[in-house]
Amino acid sequence: MDYDDVIYGRTTIHEPVLIALLESAAMQRLHGVLQHGISGLLGVTRPTTRFEHSMGVMLLVRRLGGSLEEQIAALLHDVSHTAFSHVIDYVFDGHDSQSYHDEKKAWYLGQSDVPAVLARHGYNWRDFLHEDRYLLLEQPAPALCADRLDYFLRDSVDLGLSTAADVERVLAHLVVHDGRIVIDDLPTARWLAETYIAADDASWASFYEVGLYEVAAQAIKTALQVGAISEQDLWSTDEVVWARLQAHDHPQLQAQLRLVSRQTDFLWDEQNPTFWVSTKVRTIDPDVLADGRLHRLSTLDTSFAQHRAAYLGRKQGKWPVRVVAN
């Protein structure tokens, strides 16, 4: 099969196991799950899907010479994301870790059609549960990995923080050293790390989007309590769950849903907050390959180290949010 990707271009996939996984119900569901959850559904951000991202991570691992097994792991790494993606972490009070999909991965995969698909091709599905076994796919923050790189590259373009030329420059300077992704050019590493922080500030940990996630999560909590939806429903798609929320006539739920709108404002107000909320703050400090050795960018560039430390200090902790309905 041929696949056209906005970041990596056209790729022909010949491997039967990858084609079968792409056709599985579990992977096809991700066409209806948006990367940015409620902000994607409302048009605050581009409606990039978990399928696009999962495919992109697989393509990046493939581009960097990853094994077929690592490509499978990459393709499946987000398969257990619920509708609304990380909004659900706010529902279950996982604001800072945002790992609900990881906690549920074994359960979700086990009851999906993925184990049977993999078994037909000689694989055990449990071998793909632990992403940290695949060094290109996942690394502890703040190191580079295919997952972090792919969502950054997509979002940086959509947010107007990078151009196609910037993306090509980053891809050209990614190399594999001791099985991990590093950068072989200091200026590129500096641009990547600084723009990654800009993307976090503009979207992933922006005050507005965090406020929007929290009001959406409060509505979903109410919906679960009053039986408008069940936890099992969360493994459908954004539009299905959104329609069920809108269709239920519970007054409190409908009042909360009216706040889940682009017209709602979120103000920093320590004196009269509607709620206090924290979120996951994302930065990278990539390894730079120079003279055959690896150096963290922060050790080569003290100004970047100071910038990163200041950003983390500014974003950490709980934020006082006052919700203003318009």
Side-chain angles (χ1 to χ4, degrees):
M1 66 175 287
D2 290 331
Y3 184 81
D4 290 306
D5 186 83
V6 296
I7 300 296
Y8 312 106
R10 170 162 286 205
T11 301
T12 301
I13 299 169
H14 301 283
E15 297 84 351
V17 64
L18 295 179
I19 295 172
L21 284 171
L22 288 168
E23 294 172 347
S24 69
M27 284 300 303
Q28 287 296 308
R29 182 185 71 90
L30 297 185
H31 283 293
V33 178
L34 297 179
Q35 187 89 344
H36 289 270
I38 196 65
S39 57
L41 190 67
L42 296 180
V44 175
T45 57
R46 180 186 178 276
T48 301
T49 68
R50 286 281 162 191
F51 185 92
E52 290 175 81
H53 168 60
S54 298
M55 193 69 181
V57 176
M58 187 273 282
L59 292 173
L60 182 53
V61 167
R62 186 183 187 91
R63 179 187 180 109
L64 294 170
S67 67
L68 180 56
E69 288 75 14
E70 188 147 13
Q71 292 176 55
I72 293 171
L75 195 61
L76 295 175
H77 84 283
D78 270 357
V79 71
S80 54
H81 258 293
T82 61
F84 304 125
S85 289
H86 287 300
V87 171
I88 303 305
D89 292 295
Y90 289 61
V91 173
F92 296 109
D93 300 320
H95 302 66
D96 301 328
S97 62
Q98 298 193 7
S99 59
Y100 184 77
H101 67 292
D102 291 321
E103 296 162 9
K104 294 292 187 178
K105 188 172 184 178
W107 168 80
Y108 177 78
L109 271 179
Q111 53 87 51
S112 75
D113 58 345
V114 168
V117 170
L118 288 172
R120 286 198 297 270
H121 294 273
Y123 295 99
N124 186 329
W125 66 278
R126 293 180 178 85
D127 293 339
F128 302 99
L129 290 175
H130 304 290
E131 295 163 15
D132 55 0
R133 295 177 182 174
Y134 303 98
L135 303 185
L136 298 179
L137 169 59
E138 289 292 349
Q139 288 291 321
L144 293 182
C145 65
D147 182 16
R148 265 178 219 111
L149 280 163
D150 183 78
Y151 70 65
F152 162 75
L153 292 173
R154 291 176 193 282
D155 288 356
S156 66
V157 173
D158 294 335
L159 293 167
L161 298 172
S162 70
T163 65
D166 293 324
V167 170
E168 283 302 314
R169 179 163 57 95
V170 169
L171 292 175
H173 287 290
L174 296 180
V175 295
V176 177
H177 183 83
D178 290 338
R180 299 190 296 114
I181 303 173
V182 302
I183 299 280
D184 68 359
D185 179 69
L186 179 57
T188 302
R190 183 184 298 115
W191 179 90
L192 175 62
E194 290 178 347
T195 311
Y196 190 98
I197 288 175
D200 190 63
D201 197 33
S203 181
W204 314 324
S206 79
F207 189 79
Y208 178 82
E209 287 194 49
V210 169
L212 194 59
Y213 271 42
E214 180 63 18
V215 294
Q218 290 179 1
I220 293 169
K221 283 182 182 180
T222 297
L224 289 167
Q225 291 166 359
V226 303
I229 58 172
S230 68
E231 191 170 344
Q232 181 67 39
D233 291 328
L234 299 178
W235 278 275
S236 56
T237 64
D238 293 8
E239 289 190 357
V240 167
V241 177
W242 187 244
R244 289 178 183 171
L245 294 174
Q246 297 288 344
H248 201 277
D249 61 0
H250 191 275
Q252 181 184 350
L253 172 59
Q254 292 307 314
Q256 289 172 318
L257 286 174
R258 284 192 289 274
L259 296 175
V260 186
S261 164
R262 295 181 67 174
Q263 279 67 56
T264 299
D265 288 333
F266 301 95
L267 305 178
W268 185 284
D269 188 344
E270 297 181 17
Q271 303 305 315
N272 189 32
T274 307
F275 51 75
W276 291 76
V277 65
S278 61
T279 193
K280 184 175 182 177
V281 183
R282 293 173 168 86
T283 68
I284 57 173
D285 187 6
D287 286 311
V288 181
L289 183 63
D291 301 322
R293 295 193 303 142
L294 293 181
H295 311 266
R296 279 287 169 95
L297 174 62
S298 57
T299 67
L300 299 174
D301 187 335
T302 56
S303 64
F304 167 72
Q306 293 168 356
H307 172 56
R308 178 171 177 262
Y311 179 74
L312 289 171
R314 177 166 63 87
K315 285 284 190 175
Q316 296 292 351
K318 290 187 177 294
W319 307 344
V321 180
R322 179 159 61 90
V323 180
V324 180
N326 293 317

